[in-house]
Amino acid sequence: MTKGNKLQTLTIGIPVYNEEQSLPCSFTSLAEAINQLPRNVNVEVIYCLNGCTDDSGKILRDLAENGPRIERLEIMTSEPGKMNAQLAILGKRTFNDGMICFADADIVMEPQTLVALMGKLQQDQNCQAAYAHVEPHVPNHPSLFQDLLLAHYISRVKQPPRNYIHGRTFMMRDGSLLETIRDDLPQRVERVRNEENPWFMGHLGLEEGPKVDDIYLSRVIAHKYGPNAISQVQGATIHFHPPESLEDYIGVMDRTLTEIRRLDLLYPEHRYLQETVFRRDFDNANNPTLPADTRRQLGLLIEIERVHCNLIKDSLTPPDMRVNELGSKPWVSAPTTKKSFGDPSDPNFLTSITNGALPGKDAKPAQIVVGSVPTGIKADEIMDGDTDPLQEDHINLAQKPPEPP
């Protein structure tokens, strides 16, 4: 942080949508981070409720009255939508010429985060947006999917910082890039209406303009100032809850890919960034520095993402432009299932297949004599599928004493 007594200002804007569970911790961590700023920094905090249907407003007002003290605090409302809330915050702020920080309401901010973000913008005049490192907060007993998702976060530590904003907490020199977001929107929508497939107008809500702040701002800043104008800041860290289910994770993917498609249509001059500057192999399942179990988990996650990304991208294409290859084929096949089992000329070929254990398992499968039925199990029960002689409870059934007549 630059030393000196020159008065500086900072506006912190926090959009709120159904955050009743996360607000108490988030509010407390924000107050502590503000307390770490130098005394010559005047701070105003504006919370904006946008479409809440829970008790977020009530909890927030109680925190403002009885929680950790924040000197300049205002609570307002806006139309639903994160970017609607951000625009409302910019219109309400008192420090019109100062830096602006946006943070999510469902995160916990480490104490030095605001100091580090502000210091980066002061020390690096080429930096237009500084964002905090994000750290997943996983419970002691993570869900099955969270356990899988951890492989992604472990691998990300091995990657260089990304050169596009992470929207959970970021700071900009001013709010001009957001304040002018709708100045030429009608003209851009009209161009899409006249030049693109009409399906887009009816299905992607282009008249509403950008909806995802970090994707839009990353493209605008990188296009105007270059990718190095966006920086992740060491010393600025926030904690968040990763998705607990595959359904939630796919929802995040859907939101991201849909917004990229919308912005490609509205702002075609930024399209090159998505395939060049912002594109990289973020996860590498073959990274030898990762543990073997992590590589396997990461490989599975990448495959899940690939399949669902293709499905989502197809849904963002007008129906008359989609090519359904399966519909024109006589067979629906999975190519990866069509592999050899080995050398059929090997005398032990069948034995090696039937006796082979699952990878990582030492237990041998139960031995079955073809043509025989274990004592105590009726043949018609096996034929009907009511009893499975391979089930654990039935393996030693022949050794049990016979039932009385």
Side-chain angles (χ1 to χ4, degrees):
M1 178 77 66
T2 301
K3 295 181 180 180
N5 295 321
K6 183 180 178 181
L7 186 64
Q8 301 170 66
T9 59
L10 172 65
T11 299
I12 302 173
I14 304 179
V16 179
Y17 176 72
N18 289 352
E19 310 287 0
E20 61 181 9
Q21 294 187 48
S22 54
L23 272 171
C25 293
S26 178
F27 188 95
T28 301
S29 71
L30 174 63
E32 180 59 28
I34 292 173
N35 287 338
Q36 304 304 311
L37 289 167
R39 293 187 178 181
N40 66 318
V41 179
N42 276 355
V43 180
E44 63 177 349
V45 177
I46 304 175
Y47 280 88
C48 185
L49 303 159
N50 60 103
C52 293
T53 57
D54 65 356
D55 286 333
S56 292
K58 178 178 178 296
I59 291 172
L60 192 53
R61 286 186 286 271
D62 181 68
L63 287 167
E65 184 174 348
N66 303 310
R69 183 166 177 75
I70 296 178
E71 289 290 338
R72 291 172 175 261
L73 174 63
E74 183 158 352
I75 302 172
M76 63 178 300
T77 60
S78 74
E79 293 296 317
K82 185 177 182 181
M83 293 193 75
N84 286 332
Q86 290 171 327
L87 290 172
I89 289 168
L90 289 173
K92 191 74 172 178
R93 65 175 176 160
T94 304
F95 304 144
N96 294 318
D97 298 326
M99 294 183 185
I100 176 77
C101 175
F102 286 110
D104 286 356
D106 57 356
I107 57 99
V108 166
M109 189 180 293
E110 291 195 2
Q112 293 299 315
T113 295
L114 297 177
V115 172
L117 293 176
M118 202 167 186
K120 174 63 176 178
L121 291 175
Q122 289 175 334
Q123 296 163 13
D124 183 356
Q125 294 304 308
N126 293 320
C127 182
Q128 299 297 317
Y131 68 92
H133 166 69
V134 297
E135 191 73 28
H137 177 76
V138 181
N140 292 331
H141 302 287
S143 69
L144 181 63
F145 183 74
Q146 282 178 326
D147 192 46
L148 178 64
L149 194 57
L150 276 176
H152 163 72
Y153 294 114
I154 292 172
S155 72
R156 198 169 67 180
V157 175
K158 309 285 185 180
Q159 303 285 344
R162 65 187 201 173
N163 55 358
Y164 49 99
I165 296 169
H166 202 302
R168 294 191 181 275
T169 300
F170 64 96
M171 191 179 295
M172 300 187 296
R173 295 192 175 279
D174 58 60
S176 60
L177 292 176
L178 274 177
E179 290 170 324
T180 59
I181 191 172
R182 291 174 177 165
D183 287 356
D184 62 350
L185 181 60
Q187 292 84 355
R188 291 181 176 275
V189 170
E190 190 61 25
R191 183 196 57 77
V192 176
R193 194 189 311 276
N194 294 332
E195 299 178 8
E196 301 287 350
N197 191 301
W199 180 88
F200 292 121
M201 296 304 305
H203 290 79
L204 297 183
L206 300 179
E207 297 92 340
E208 300 173 33
K211 293 184 177 181
V212 183
D213 57 341
D214 49 3
I215 300 177
Y216 170 76
L217 287 170
S218 295
R219 291 165 62 122
V220 171
I221 292 173
H223 180 70
K224 185 174 182 178
Y225 300 101
N228 292 331
I230 301 171
S231 295
Q232 177 179 290
V233 179
Q234 189 172 3
T237 302
I238 63 93
H239 300 262
F240 73 101
H241 290 285
E244 290 188 7
S245 66
L246 176 60
E247 181 180 6
D248 283 350
Y249 189 66
I250 292 173
V252 174
M253 291 169 53
D254 197 346
R255 183 199 78 155
T256 300
L257 294 174
T258 299
E259 185 66 359
I260 289 172
R261 189 71 179 104
R262 295 176 75 253
L263 295 180
D264 282 350
L265 290 164
L266 288 171
Y267 304 89
E269 67 270 28
H270 302 160
R271 187 178 301 172
Y272 73 96
L273 291 164
Q274 216 65 51
E275 292 299 323
T276 55
V277 177
F278 295 155
R279 181 178 178 82
R280 66 174 175 147
D281 294 328
F282 195 74
D283 290 316
N284 183 1
N286 298 317
N287 188 334
T289 65
L290 297 175
D293 287 346
T294 300
R295 292 201 300 271
R296 283 194 293 270
Q297 287 180 307
L298 188 57
L300 175 58
L301 184 63
I302 291 173
E303 183 67 11
I304 291 172
E305 286 184 346
R306 185 188 65 80
V307 171
H308 283 285
C309 278
N310 289 337
L311 293 173
I312 293 168
K313 288 178 179 178
D314 189 57
S315 72
L316 298 172
T317 303
D320 59 348
M321 296 174 63
R322 298 175 195 168
V323 178
N324 191 331
E325 297 180 359
L326 294 180
S328 60
K329 291 182 178 180
W331 294 96
V332 177
S333 64
T336 55
T337 66
K338 301 183 180 302
K339 296 181 179 179
S340 171
F341 285 94
D343 183 4
S345 64
D346 183 348
N348 298 318
F349 167 67
L350 286 177
T351 304
S352 65
I353 297 297
T354 56
N355 290 345
L358 291 172
K361 303 292 184 182
D362 296 328
K364 293 183 179 180
Q367 299 297 311
I368 304 174
V369 180
V370 178
S372 68
V373 178
T375 305
I377 301 180
K378 298 179 181 179
D380 59 348
E381 289 179 335
I382 297 176
M383 295 298 292
D384 291 340
D386 294 333
T387 304
D388 183 355
L390 296 183
Q391 292 293 334
E392 183 178 353
D393 292 341
H394 297 140
I395 290 294
N396 299 318
L397 197 57
Q399 301 174 6
K400 295 180 180 179
E403 296 181 3

